[in-house]
Structures are given as C-alpha cells and as structure tokens.
Amino acid sequence: MRLYVTAVRKWWTAAAAIILMAVICQLSGTSSIQLPALNGSGVAPLAYFTPLLVSSAVLYCLNQRADHIERTAVVAVAVIDAAFVGLVFVLCLAAGFVTGFDTARNVLLLTCIGLLIAQVGNSASGIATGMMLLIASIVAGRGPAGSHSWWAVLLYPPNSVPAWSLTAVLLAAAGIRSVKASRKP
C-alpha cells in the first residue's frame, strides 16, 4: 500500500502544496494582486489564494485511481484516504503558525466544500467551486474600509468563531458523506 499511496494517489503532492503555501505566504508578506471589486478596494493579498494550492492537491490525490488495486486491497482505500486527508488538515493547522490561521481555516473550508461537491460531481467541479467561492468573496464580498459581507466566510479574521464553526460543520458533513460513499458496494 505504500507504493499505492506514493505512486497512484501521489499524496506527496499534498505535502509539497502545504510547503509551497507556507513559503509563498512567508515570502509574499504584504504583496497584493489587483482584482476588480464591486465594493471597496480591488486589492487582495496574495496569501488569500494559497489555500487553493492545498485544496486542489487533496482533490487531485483523491481522484487518482487504480481500481484493480482498490478492489483487492487488504485495508480499505477509503480508510487510508481519510487518514491522509486528516494528516493534511493537521499539517495545515501546524502551518497556520507561519501562514496565519485564517489561511489554514480556508484550506479546510475549501477542501471540505470541494469534497462535498466532488461526491456529487467530480473533483474538477470541486476545485472549480472552491476557486469560484474564493474569487466571489474577494470581488463581491469585500466592502469599504476592510469590511466584508456575512457570506464571505473566507475573508473572516483568524479568530472568527462563526467561520471556524462553519468549517467544523462542513468537515463533519464531508466526513459523514465520505463514510457513506465508501460503504456502497
């Protein structure tokens, strides 16, 4: 199974994405990107986009398959996947000391949304949904003087209880949904 994890699922890409996210957040500092905005300023910090690296990598890894190996595996591949997704989340929270805990929270949030959408559609639609939510939050969710709309959860500060609560609810929903999906014959 070790070869399956590294050669088929390619979970090392998620670890590389976490490292890249931390490096970009550390090096970019206050660098920003000009974007169109409906309200307020059109300037967005570069760090807002780094959670997409990790959430896309996780969904990419989960999309890699070798059905003949999965059907004959001694340990259910869904259990291994759940362990690796959990490990990615723990590593993202640890990276939060470098990137900021709002970035770590946004990784969890975008990944959970992507997992839920991927179970209905596919992993590409899960990645696209996370990307569109991030862009919509930045373009339409920000107001003047650093304020934000109630629905733009990705823009909430790192210590926001509602944002962490929503992340926990989505994490539970994605976990329950993936357990039910893995039990299907």
Side-chain angles (χ1 to χ4, degrees), residues 72-90:
T72 59
V74 174
V75 178
V77 175
V79 173
I80 296 170
D81 288 342
F84 273 99
V85 170
L87 178 63
V88 166
F89 288 169
V90 168

Side-chain angles (χ1 to χ4, degrees), residues 122-147:
N122 58 21
S123 61
S125 61
I127 293 169
T129 302
M131 188 180 309
M132 293 308 296
L133 178 64
L134 180 67
I135 291 171
S137 294
I138 291 171
V139 170
R142 293 188 307 157
S147 64

Side-chain angles (χ1 to χ4, degrees), residues 26-44:
Q26 194 66 25
L27 293 178
S28 69
T30 59
S31 298
S32 57
I33 299 171
Q34 282 286 93
L35 289 174
L38 298 177
N39 298 325
S41 172
V43 177

Side-chain angles (χ1 to χ4, degrees), residues 105 108-109 112-113 116 153 161-177:
R105 180 200 63 225
L108 273 63
L109 188 67
C112 290
I113 289 170
L116 290 170
V153 179
V161 173
W164 280 104
S165 300
L166 178 64
T167 303
V169 167
L170 287 174
L171 180 61
I176 290 170
R177 180 105 175 151

